[in-house]
Amino acid sequence: MTPKIVACERSGKLICDPAAYRRDRAHGEFPLSRPDPKGARFLTLRDVRPPAWRGKDYAAELMTYGQAHRLAPGLAGATRVAVNPLRMVWVLTRYYRPPITVQNTWGGPCCNAPATVTVRSESQTDDALTGQAIDSCTNCRGIPMPIRYRSVGVTLMAPLPGYRPPVSKAEVVVLLRNSGLAGADNAGAPTVRLHTVGLSRPYPAWVITFRHTTPISYGPGQVPARPDCISMLIYDLNTRAWTDDFQSCPDRDVERRGGV
């Protein structure tokens, strides 16, 4: 450590000894500092999800490390010297509802640290090519809690940071009105929001929601006529196709799905 290198590090520069960095990188000390190879096959969510999370309440997204940093700076905090911003990673967040209390193993005996910690969530990032763990944190910002419609198998999550839809909000409403779907003729102005849909094969989509709609019967039997349901239609922005059309009603055992 020369005085020049010490001064450089204090200034906040990422690389203060380029020769040492090149040597260490050549020896494999920064395996994630290079971008993913062209045509790389990435691990699936099933490959990286912790076994203990199966059947639990969690959210997951496949994104670049740069996107992960914009989403959760406290979680994806490595510099580009250690992790290339274009490298694909899985970001996973497990939610505890209700929260759990565990022994505090982080604070140590000093500083009047509490004996227990209340855990509301755990987040981690894993390299999507190798599965190598990169970051983890407890009770920090990660993937926002998803909205789940379990009976129809629909999970809605926040869109990827910086994603720009190829179809505008106004355009998708026009497409809906001309689609002929069961919910296309709902009265009133809908709410149109950008989401990532699904967990195992997530895709960006416009989710169109009509509130205070009357239940639709998709089979035999009577349904109440109270306008207390929400009707949702989902437009996949990757395939430019409608993927779901369903109702969710209070005090019902299942959501009612239309025909897309």
Side-chain angles (χ1 to χ4, degrees):
M1 293 288 288
T2 66
K4 183 178 180 180
I5 292 177
V6 171
C8 174
E9 290 183 348
R10 287 176 176 171
S11 72
K13 291 184 178 180
L14 296 179
I15 300 177
C16 294
D17 189 343
Y21 173 68
R22 288 193 296 269
R23 181 185 66 245
D24 292 344
R25 195 168 182 231
H27 292 166
E29 291 195 24
F30 298 98
L32 306 183
S33 63
R34 296 177 173 82
D36 293 308
K38 189 175 181 179
R41 294 175 64 87
F42 299 114
L43 297 173
T44 67
L45 175 58
R46 182 178 297 179
D47 296 325
V48 299
R49 181 189 61 195
W53 288 20
R54 185 172 182 178
K56 305 300 182 181
D57 199 3
Y58 71 93
E61 291 269 11
L62 180 65
M63 63 183 76
T64 68
Y65 194 77
Q67 288 174 319
H69 177 74
R70 291 195 294 273
L71 174 71
L75 172 62
T79 71
R80 64 179 181 271
V81 172
V83 182
N84 190 291
L86 298 179
R87 199 160 182 103
M88 297 300 295
V89 298
W90 278 102
V91 181
L92 304 100
T93 299
R94 160 82 191 277
Y95 291 95
Y96 293 90
R97 295 187 295 183
I100 62 173
T101 300
V102 299
Q103 292 296 316
N104 182 8
T105 59
W106 304 289
C110 72
C111 313
N112 296 319
T116 60
V117 175
T118 299
V119 178
R120 296 175 178 83
S121 66
E122 295 175 314
S123 296
Q124 64 187 64
T125 55
D126 296 335
D127 182 58
L129 183 63
T130 65
Q132 178 179 334
I134 303 174
D135 317 280
S136 65
C137 61
T138 300
N139 293 337
C140 67
R141 183 178 177 183
I143 302 294
M145 188 178 295
I147 303 169
R148 299 183 193 273
Y149 298 91
R150 296 185 184 277
S151 64
V152 292
V154 173
T155 300
L156 305 181
M157 296 184 294
L160 290 180
Y163 177 77
R164 295 183 178 182
V167 176
S168 71
K169 183 183 296 187
E171 288 171 335
V172 79
V173 173
V174 172
L175 290 172
L176 171 64
R177 295 304 188 186
N178 296 327
S179 67
L181 296 174
D185 57 355
N186 282 316
T191 300
V192 184
R193 289 198 174 99
L194 193 63
H195 283 277
T196 296
V197 179
L199 280 173
S200 59
R201 290 188 177 87
Y203 60 88
W206 284 116
V207 177
I208 302 178
T209 304
F210 291 90
R211 299 189 181 278
H212 308 297
T213 61
T214 301
I216 300 171
S217 176
Y218 295 114
Q222 298 293 320
V223 295
R226 299 190 303 271
D228 58 358
C229 301
I230 60 171
S231 296
M232 303 186 73
L233 302 100
I234 299 176
Y235 183 79
D236 185 337
L237 287 160
N238 285 342
T239 63
R240 308 287 183 93
W242 297 97
T243 59
D244 247 304
D245 168 18
F246 66 94
Q247 276 193 321
S248 179
C249 305
D251 303 321
R252 315 289 203 277
D253 290 334
V254 298
E255 285 88 8
R256 297 185 176 86
R257 171 171 264 145
V260 173

